[in-house]
Amino acid sequence: MAIDVRGYKKKVLNQKPSINLVPFIDILFTIMIFLVVTSNFSATDVQTDDADVVEDATGKPNVTDVSGDAQYYVMPVANLHKVTVNGVDKSDTIVGSAVGVQARVIDEGQITIKPGEISITTPPGVSPDVAVQRPEL
């Protein structure tokens, strides 16, 4: 009985290697699921105290507790192009997509932030010219 070496050699040389991608995809998805489950998606780790938690949250920053005693505070808004104070356009006070807002206006007034614009209603006795100012960045 003769062994056909030439036929086998020809068959081996004409074969192309095949890679099975199914186990690779399984391993890739397993690693991806592991990373998603173990990841922390918060931008920064913020330590909160019980004093910072307020029962009646208004959405305004508590300026007096964290920011000191400055008279104006910078409010950055992405792509800020319009600022209105009591219906008066104060867009000339925008510098670098931010505007300086008086502390009393933040504490007692009403500030509505929409994409690209800020609408401010001042408390009684505060004029629109005093409520906002160009920030010094």
Side-chain angles (χ1 to χ4, degrees):
M1 184 177 225
I3 299 176
D4 187 16
V5 176
R6 271 191 223 166
Y8 182 73
K9 187 176 181 181
K10 192 177 194 181
K11 181 179 174 184
V12 168
L13 290 176
N14 288 335
Q15 275 186 337
K16 293 185 178 181
S18 63
I19 299 173
N20 191 359
L21 291 179
V22 174
F24 173 73
I25 293 172
D26 289 344
I27 292 171
L28 184 68
F29 278 127
T30 303
I31 292 171
M32 190 171 68
I33 289 170
F34 173 77
L35 291 174
V36 167
V37 168
T38 60
S39 294
N40 183 2
F41 290 106
S42 66
T44 58
D45 291 334
V46 178
Q47 300 294 330
T48 59
D49 297 333
D50 291 336
D52 292 342
V53 179
V54 179
E55 296 288 327
D56 185 24
T58 61
K60 296 180 185 176
N62 194 354
V63 176
T64 55
D65 289 345
V66 288
S67 300
D69 58 354
Q71 187 174 2
Y72 287 88
Y73 294 96
V74 177
M75 292 189 68
V77 175
N79 300 320
L80 183 62
H81 62 274
K82 184 176 182 183
V83 176
T84 57
V85 180
N86 295 342
V88 178
D89 186 22
K90 299 298 284 181
S91 297
D92 57 333
T93 59
I94 299 171
V95 174
S97 292
V99 65
V101 181
Q102 189 184 38
R104 182 171 173 219
V105 174
I106 292 174
D107 289 338
E108 300 172 15
Q110 182 176 356
I111 300 172
T112 306
I113 300 174
K114 296 179 184 173
E117 69 179 77
I118 297 176
S119 177
I120 300 172
T121 304
T122 62
V126 178
S127 71
D129 295 327
V130 175
V132 293
Q133 190 179 51
R134 288 181 68 89
E136 296 175 12
L137 299 177

